């Protein structure tokens, strides 16, 4: 390639010659060239849709100047005759070149290309042109795609660093302005600076699938030479000196070469961009002034992870999308062994583990390596984990970047422990060397492991790699004598996997034995060796689903665990029954400020049974109040019906100045998802009985019965992403006094000009109604909330500030109109349109029907300030059935607001892209 860089236009003018050697046994009539830069061409590419799925708004709102594309000027073959090529709208990130003759095995053909590459802004992926006038480049040029099993591998760019290029030799000549420098992992050949305005750099590389280029005004990279490889890095850490950096880099490079194999290239780059695109998730990401780790340790972890990633990606010739688990497994396995060798005593919480304040927490006792298991288990307990062998592009973001990556390393470490720490290291080295001679795949790695092992390890690939099956063992019977232990094991999931049994005496391991429980009633007998406790999977080698059932005392008959109280949150402690507590502070108009204490068992990892008890004291009312909830979750691993939740909750607060209410809510909820975990469609079916007992109040004269019980069934179907949101919900309510049915459809669309349209259609009708008040009627602008579902600060207020609180329910109007309720049927349409950022215009129309009255047509309009969706919004009515409201007296009493004090609502805005 001859590349002329235009830093003002953010373009690369490329003249490229490709000599394609058909080393396969197939006759080719086409050649596929990857063109991943063209994935940034418009807002409808697969990459753009991926951004939308993960709620990243930046690309959708970007100007054309910030996006990238590839413009091909000409493409010819050996004799410079033009060749046909095609690029489809569905697959804009690769082109298919139609050859004018058949390319037989072992034949070669020359392709000649001229094209212009428009580089995208680096704000999308951290790769591209930056605000300082430089560029970070990867996957920017046209490159032959990987050929395997008689086909070219055709992948779309999803910003996953998994381009499937053919192994190639590169010769690159780059012309850039003199004031700029280039850093690359290609080998330097020459530098021509004879011209006063620009310099020409020449580079080469052999047997590579890609390379990185960094163009900067001021070179931020430093070079470190340990004798076998040149490392160029610009990882940021101003608090450690060059001598410390050199020691750490040399230690990491030497370790990788010792345990994996010699790096095949002369140079490797380890950039801050590489790390930022795939950081080490944990407490090391905290700002330095509160970080629990030393600065040199943070640098070491960052360098180790990024170096190993680049080391393996540049050396292994796997399909980086289909066989991604192999990269992850070797990387994390090597990191774990490195930590074991160089930082064995480092804790997950670093210096915090030494503080007396945190000594009682189980999380402070975890070693640094033990955190990997908990990141994986976080997803397994949510029933969101995915098979390690699944292609990288099918993984949800948390799995792709964290959980699956860590589980892959844990799984290889598990196999290593089972095979006595001998087979796996040798297999990694042999597989690594195999890759220096051509393409490979996961089955080459599996074949090496299988051939070297004297044990049958087919279960490892079938269960651990290619399934979501979970492992969970417990003791079903344990007896002991002074010298021996006899026990049997219950396999709770029916999934076979070897498991280690430990004998523990005063927290010290006195024996460890691997067992293979292939039959249900296997009985084992081991020498006791003075152990006072027998534990399954003590060091967490096996990615086991539940470790709370893994131990038996050999001293006491009782299986009851002692209680342990902890403030706020903690990880599960298998030795204790944990009760967590935290102060709470609630508010409503009638109870006033309500301080309380919340007692619960919700540790960081989800568990089947949860309780949450929150006694409180209502300062204004001078009475005890509070809430409680008990729930049981049942997960289904291999079904679209993936979760059933049984629960019963209770609330006891004031609904009027002089009256309390008690709500009991037994409920069952069925949650349904698509087979594709990345599909954002979610469905649920809910059935509950809402039982409400209200004290009579002198302030409330709605003539409704104070106590009632309502059966409620709902079905919801939601598909949401950044560009489009669609939801559908139906609701059925049956009681002795009424029966009603309603439905709601909501649609949101974000347009390319950053304008947003919101539409909501609501319709409801009574099946029967013998009540004599509007308490159970449909509300036009605000529901009475007789089910006590909404957090209304002044639920019985009809005037004043608290009556202006707005919830998006039932009629959904913002203006307060008469009639305000419908006791027969209601149909409304709510719409809003964003005109600038969070400023929107809204309008509502609807019909409502009451007994003995004709239909009423309602309408209103105004301005909506959508400051934080569902968290803080303001509505300013302008015109409605009431006339020009903005010119009427006491206008401030017409303004409606949404204020939510629930942190969970706000956190969801940031976490939804991960799950």
């Amino acid at each position: 390639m001859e590349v002329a860089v235009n830093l003002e236009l953010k373009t690369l003018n490329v003249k490229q010659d490709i000599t394609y050697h058909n080393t396969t046994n197939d006759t080719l009539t086409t050649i596929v060239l990857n063109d991943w830069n063209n994935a940034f061409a418009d807002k409808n590419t697969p990459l753009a849709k991926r951004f939308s799925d993960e709620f990243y708004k930046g690309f959708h709102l970007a100007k054309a100047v910030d996006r990238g594309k590839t413009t091909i000027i000409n493409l010819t073959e050996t004799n410079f005759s033009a060749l046909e090529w095609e690029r489809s709208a569905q697959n804009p990130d690769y082109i298919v070149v139609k050859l004018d003759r058949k390319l037989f095995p072992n034949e070669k053909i020359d392709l000649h290309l001229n094209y212009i590459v428009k580089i995208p802004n680096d704000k999308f992926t951290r790769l591209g042109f930056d605000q300082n006038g430089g560029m970070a480049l990867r996957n920017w040029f046209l490159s032959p795609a990987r050929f395997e099993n008689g086909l070219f591998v055709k992948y779309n760019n999803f910003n996953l660093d998994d381009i499937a290029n053919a192994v190639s030799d590169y010769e690159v000549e780059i012309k850039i302005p003199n004031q700029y420098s280039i850093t690359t992992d290609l080998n330097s050949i020459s530098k021509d600076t004879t011209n006063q305005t620009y310099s020409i750099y020449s580079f080469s590389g052999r047997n590579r699938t890609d390379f990185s280029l960094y163009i900067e005004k001021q070179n931020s990279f430093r070079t470190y030479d340990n004798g076998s490889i040149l490392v160029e890095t610009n990882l940021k850490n101003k608090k450690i000196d060059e001598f410390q950096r050199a020691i750490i880099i040399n230690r990491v490079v030497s370790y990788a070469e010792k345990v994996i194999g010699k790096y095949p290239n002369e140079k490797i780059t380890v950039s801050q961009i590489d790390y930022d695109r795939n950081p080490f998730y944990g407490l090391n990401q905290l700002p330095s002034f509160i970080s629990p780790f030393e600065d040199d340790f943070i640098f070491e972890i960052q360098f180790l992870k990024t170096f190993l990633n680049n080391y393996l990606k540049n050396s292994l010739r796997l399909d980086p999308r289909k066989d991604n688990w192999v990269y992850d497994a070797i990387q994390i396995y090597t990191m774990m062994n490195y930590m074991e060798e160089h930082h064995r005593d480092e804790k997950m919480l670093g210096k915090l583990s030494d503080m007396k304040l945190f000594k009682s927490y189980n999380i402070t006792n975890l070693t640094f390596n033990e955190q990997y298991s908990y990141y994986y288990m976080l997803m397994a307990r949510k029933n969101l984990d995915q098979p390690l062998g699944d292609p990288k592009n099918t993984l949800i973001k948390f799995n792709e970047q964290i959980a699956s990556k860590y589980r892959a390393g844990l799984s290889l470490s598990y196999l290593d422990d089972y095979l006595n720490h001998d087979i796996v290291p040798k297999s990694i080295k042999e597989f690594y060397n195999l890759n220096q001679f051509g393409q490979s795949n996961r089955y080459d790695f599996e074949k090496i492991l299988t051939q070297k092992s004297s044990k049958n390890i087919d279960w490892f690939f079938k269960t651990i790699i290619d399934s979501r099956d979970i492992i969970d063992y417990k003791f079903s019977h344990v007896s002991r004598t002074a010298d021996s232990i006899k026990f049997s094991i219950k396999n709770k999931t029916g999934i076979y996997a070897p498991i280690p049994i430990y004998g523990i005496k005063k927290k010290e391991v006195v024996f460890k034995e691997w067992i293979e429980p292939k039959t249900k009633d296997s009985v084992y007998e081991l020498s006791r060796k003075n152990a006072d406790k027998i534990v399954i999977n003590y060091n967490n080698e096996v990615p086991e689903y539940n470790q709370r059932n893994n131990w038996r005392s050999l001293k006491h008959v009782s299986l009851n665990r002692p209680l342990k109280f902890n403030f706020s949150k903690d990880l599960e402690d298998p030795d204790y029954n944990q009760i967590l507590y935290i102060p709470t502070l609630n508010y409503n108009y009638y109870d006033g400020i309500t301080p309380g204490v919340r007692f619960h068992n919700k540790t960081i990892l989800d568990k089947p049974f949860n309780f949450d008890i929150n006694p409180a004291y209502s300062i204004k009312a001078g009475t005890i109040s509070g809430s409680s909830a008990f729930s049981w979750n049942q997960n289904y691993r291999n079904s679209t019906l993936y979760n059933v939740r049984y629960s019963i909750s209770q609330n006891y607060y004031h609904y009027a100045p002089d009256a309390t209410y008690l709500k009991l809510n037994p409920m069952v909820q069925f949650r349904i998802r698509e087979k594709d975990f990345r599909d954002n469609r979610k469905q649920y079916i809910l059935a509950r009985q809402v039982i409400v007992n209200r004290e009579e109040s002198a302030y409330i004269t709605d003539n409704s019965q104070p106590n009632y019980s309502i059966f409620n069934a709902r079905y919801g179907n939601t598909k949401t992403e950044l560009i489009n949101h669609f939801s559908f919900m139906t609701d059925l309510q049956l009681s002795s006094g009424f029966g009603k049915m309603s439905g709601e459809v909501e649609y949101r669309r974000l347009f390319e000009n950053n304008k947003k349209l919101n539409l909501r259609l609501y319709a409801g009708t009574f099946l029967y109604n013998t009540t004599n008040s509007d308490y159970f009627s449909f509300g036009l602008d605000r529901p009475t909330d007789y089910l006590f579902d909404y957090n209304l600060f002044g639920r019985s207020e009809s005037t004043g500030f608290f009556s202006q609180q707005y919830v998006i329910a039932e009629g959904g109007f913002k203006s307060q109109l008469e009639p305000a309720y419908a006791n027969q049927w209601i149909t409304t349409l709510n719409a809003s349109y964003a005109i600038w950022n969070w400023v929107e215009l809204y309008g509502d129309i609807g019909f409502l029907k009451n007994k003995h009255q004709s239909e009423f047509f309602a309408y209103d309009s105004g301005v909506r300030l959508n400051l934080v969706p569902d968290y803080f919004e303001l509505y300013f009515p302008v015109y409605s059935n009431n006339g020009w409201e903005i010119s009427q007296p006491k206008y401030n009493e017409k303004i409606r607001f949404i204020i939510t004090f629930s942190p969970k609502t706000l956190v969801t805005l940031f976490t939804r892209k991960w799950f």
Side-chain angles (χ1 to χ4, degrees), residues 590 782 794-800 802-804 816 821:
Y590 314 114
R782 176 166 131 154
R795 62 179 56 251
S796 299
E797 299 303 295
S798 57
T799 60
F802 290 107
S803 70
Q804 297 170 233
Q816 297 174 335
Y821 299 100

Side-chain angles (χ1 to χ4, degrees), residues 359-537:
K359 282 292 184 183
S360 63
Y361 289 86
N362 186 41
I363 194 172
T364 63
N365 298 317
L366 296 184
T367 65
F368 194 85
N369 277 345
E370 285 181 293
Q371 67 183 298
Y372 296 115
S373 176
Y374 284 95
Y375 278 114
Y376 153 67
M377 198 56 64
L378 186 71
M379 298 302 280
R381 293 285 186 88
K382 291 179 182 294
N383 202 5
L384 285 173
D385 57 304
Q386 295 170 268
L388 296 179
D390 279 6
K392 191 175 184 179
N393 64 307
T394 65
L395 303 180
I396 57 179
K397 188 173 182 179
F398 194 95
N399 286 335
E400 180 259 315
Q401 294 210 356
I402 305 175
S404 293
K405 185 182 290 289
Y406 290 172
R407 192 196 173 191
L410 284 166
S411 299
L412 199 58
S413 181
Y414 166 30
L415 184 65
D416 182 34
D417 203 311
Y418 174 64
L419 297 178
N420 204 26
H421 303 284
D422 182 38
I423 304 301
V424 170
K426 290 180 180 178
S427 298
I428 289 174
K429 285 186 175 181
E430 184 173 327
F431 177 67
Y432 186 82
N433 291 331
L434 175 68
N435 278 263
Q436 311 315 309
F437 300 100
Q439 288 184 174
S440 66
N441 57 51
R442 58 170 282 186
Y443 300 106
D444 295 320
F445 186 46
E446 294 173 11
K447 183 179 179 181
I448 292 171
L449 284 167
T450 303
Q451 288 178 342
K452 286 189 175 297
S453 173
S454 59
K455 299 179 181 179
N456 185 343
I457 57 172
D458 291 345
W459 57 269
F460 178 78
F461 307 109
K462 180 182 177 182
T463 300
I464 305 299
I465 303 302
D466 289 325
S467 81
R468 297 183 67 236
D469 294 336
I470 56 176
I471 302 166
D472 191 11
Y473 289 108
K474 65 176 289 188
F475 291 113
S476 59
H477 174 75
V478 176
S479 62
R480 80 281 189 197
T481 66
D483 301 319
S484 66
I485 308 166
K486 186 178 289 188
F487 61 90
S488 57
I489 293 287
K490 180 178 181 180
N491 187 340
K492 295 191 68 178
T493 60
I495 302 302
Y496 164 74
I499 197 84
I501 306 295
Y502 285 82
I504 307 297
K505 182 177 178 60
K506 296 180 180 180
K507 296 187 177 182
E508 295 293 328
V509 176
V510 294
F511 71 78
K512 173 186 177 183
E513 295 287 342
W514 280 91
I515 64 169
E516 302 180 30
K518 293 183 178 179
T519 60
K520 291 184 177 179
D521 302 320
S522 298
V523 178
Y524 302 88
E525 186 170 359
L526 300 174
S527 176
R528 181 169 176 175
K529 298 181 181 179
N530 295 320
D532 53 32
K533 186 188 296 184
I534 185 171
V535 185
I536 302 171
N537 197 23

Side-chain angles (χ1 to χ4, degrees), residues 150-163:
L151 296 170
F152 282 99
V153 177
K154 301 175 182 178
Y155 288 157
N156 297 122
N157 182 359
F158 291 129
N159 188 32
L160 297 174
D161 282 335
D162 60 351
I163 192 168

Side-chain angles (χ1 to χ4, degrees), residues 595-806:
V597 180
R598 178 182 168 218
F599 298 93
H600 64 97
N601 70 331
K602 295 179 181 177
T603 53
I604 294 172
L605 300 181
D606 290 354
K607 57 181 63 174
F609 174 72
N610 288 297
F611 68 82
D612 196 325
I613 303 171
N614 187 188
Y617 180 74
S618 302
I619 291 178
K620 186 174 181 179
T623 61
I624 299 296
S625 61
S627 63
S628 64
F630 304 86
S631 65
W632 177 266
N633 282 285
Q634 190 169 356
N635 287 332
Y636 296 91
R637 301 284 297 174
N638 300 305
S639 170
T640 53
L641 171 64
Y642 73 100
N643 174 264
V644 179
R645 185 172 187 260
Y646 308 90
S647 66
I648 182 168
S649 61
Q650 167 270 329
N651 292 289
Y652 182 73
Y653 292 101
H654 282 77
Y655 76 96
D658 61 343
T660 62
Y661 74 91
L662 172 65
K663 172 188 173 182
L664 292 176
N665 184 23
M667 178 172 65
V668 58
Q669 184 178 34
F670 305 87
R671 294 199 290 170
I672 303 165
R673 66 182 171 206
E674 301 300 300
K675 290 183 178 180
D676 177 5
F677 280 24
R678 285 195 59 86
D679 193 319
N680 287 335
R681 183 180 300 281
K682 299 292 185 291
Q683 301 177 69
Y684 72 88
I685 300 170
L686 177 151
R688 61 176 178 165
Q689 191 74 29
V690 180
I691 304 164
V692 176
N693 289 332
R694 296 186 297 163
E695 290 183 340
E696 292 190 5
S697 168
Y699 293 87
I700 307 300
T701 58
D702 58 16
N703 298 319
S704 64
Q705 56 190 30
N707 304 327
Y708 49 88
S709 178
I710 301 171
F711 172 75
N712 180 213
R714 290 179 182 173
Y715 167 73
N717 188 325
T718 301
K719 184 175 177 65
T720 185
E721 37 96 7
L722 180 71
I723 310 301
N724 290 297
H725 165 88
F726 179 84
S727 66
F728 170 71
M729 190 268 287
T730 60
D731 184 270
L732 173 68
Q733 298 176 22
L734 302 172
S735 75
S736 59
F738 72 90
K740 64 198 297 190
M741 180 179 289
S742 63
E744 177 184 309
V745 178
E746 186 177 23
Y747 175 73
R748 291 200 300 264
R749 169 75 179 183
L750 180 65
F751 297 102
E752 293 189 10
N753 58 3
N754 198 22
K755 300 296 188 290
K756 184 165 64 175
L757 175 67
N758 294 268
L759 296 173
R760 176 181 176 270
L761 176 66
Y762 180 83
T765 184
F766 277 90
L767 305 175
Y768 58 91
N769 187 3
T770 60
T771 62
N772 58 359
S773 78
D774 277 326
Y775 185 64
F776 299 107
S777 296
F778 294 107
L780 182 64
D781 69 274
R782 176 166 131 154
T784 58
D785 192 28
Y786 51 85
L787 295 177
F788 291 87
D789 284 340
Y790 305 112
N791 185 25
L792 295 174
F793 301 121
R795 62 179 56 251
S796 299
E797 299 303 295
S798 57
T799 60
F801 175 75
F802 290 107
S803 70
Q804 297 170 233
Q805 184 181 1
Y806 175 72

Side-chain angles (χ1 to χ4, degrees), residues 167 169 185-187 204-210 228-230 256-257 260-268 307 310-317 432-438:
V167 179
D169 296 339
D185 50 357
L186 292 174
N187 303 325
S204 69
R206 291 182 58 80
N207 296 321
R208 303 178 64 101
T209 55
D210 199 10
S228 63
I229 182 176
L230 289 176
E257 189 169 297
I260 298 176
K262 184 171 176 57
Y263 190 65
N265 305 320
E266 294 178 13
K267 287 198 300 183
I268 188 171
F307 175 82
N310 294 356
Y311 197 90
L312 295 170
K313 286 293 174 70
N314 293 337
S315 304
L316 301 183
R317 306 302 180 221
Y432 186 82
N433 291 331
L434 175 68
N435 278 263
Q436 311 315 309
F437 300 100

Side-chain angles (χ1 to χ4, degrees), residues 514-630:
W514 280 91
I515 64 169
E516 302 180 30
K518 293 183 178 179
T519 60
K520 291 184 177 179
D521 302 320
S522 298
V523 178
Y524 302 88
E525 186 170 359
L526 300 174
S527 176
R528 181 169 176 175
K529 298 181 181 179
N530 295 320
D532 53 32
K533 186 188 296 184
I534 185 171
V535 185
I536 302 171
N537 197 23
Y538 180 72
N539 281 334
N540 208 12
E541 295 95 332
V542 183
E544 201 182 3
Y545 188 72
N546 179 19
Q547 291 193 332
R548 285 177 54 79
N549 55 15
N550 278 16
W551 67 273
R552 285 287 186 92
S553 172
L554 300 177
K555 295 194 300 184
H556 307 292
V557 177
S558 172
L559 299 180
N560 293 327
R561 298 178 177 86
L563 283 178
K564 180 181 181 182
F565 288 85
N566 279 122
F567 179 75
S568 188
K569 282 278 189 181
D570 193 11
L571 283 174
E572 282 184 355
D573 191 332
D575 295 334
Y576 293 91
N577 286 315
Q578 294 161 288
I579 296 180
L580 305 157
Y581 64 91
I582 189 169
T584 60
L585 195 66
N586 294 312
Y587 175 82
N588 71 59
Y589 185 50
Y590 314 114
D591 289 291
I593 295 174
T594 309
V597 180
R598 178 182 168 218
F599 298 93
H600 64 97
N601 70 331
K602 295 179 181 177
T603 53
I604 294 172
L605 300 181
D606 290 354
K607 57 181 63 174
F609 174 72
N610 288 297
F611 68 82
D612 196 325
I613 303 171
N614 187 188
Y617 180 74
S618 302
I619 291 178
K620 186 174 181 179
T623 61
I624 299 296
S625 61
S627 63
S628 64
F630 304 86

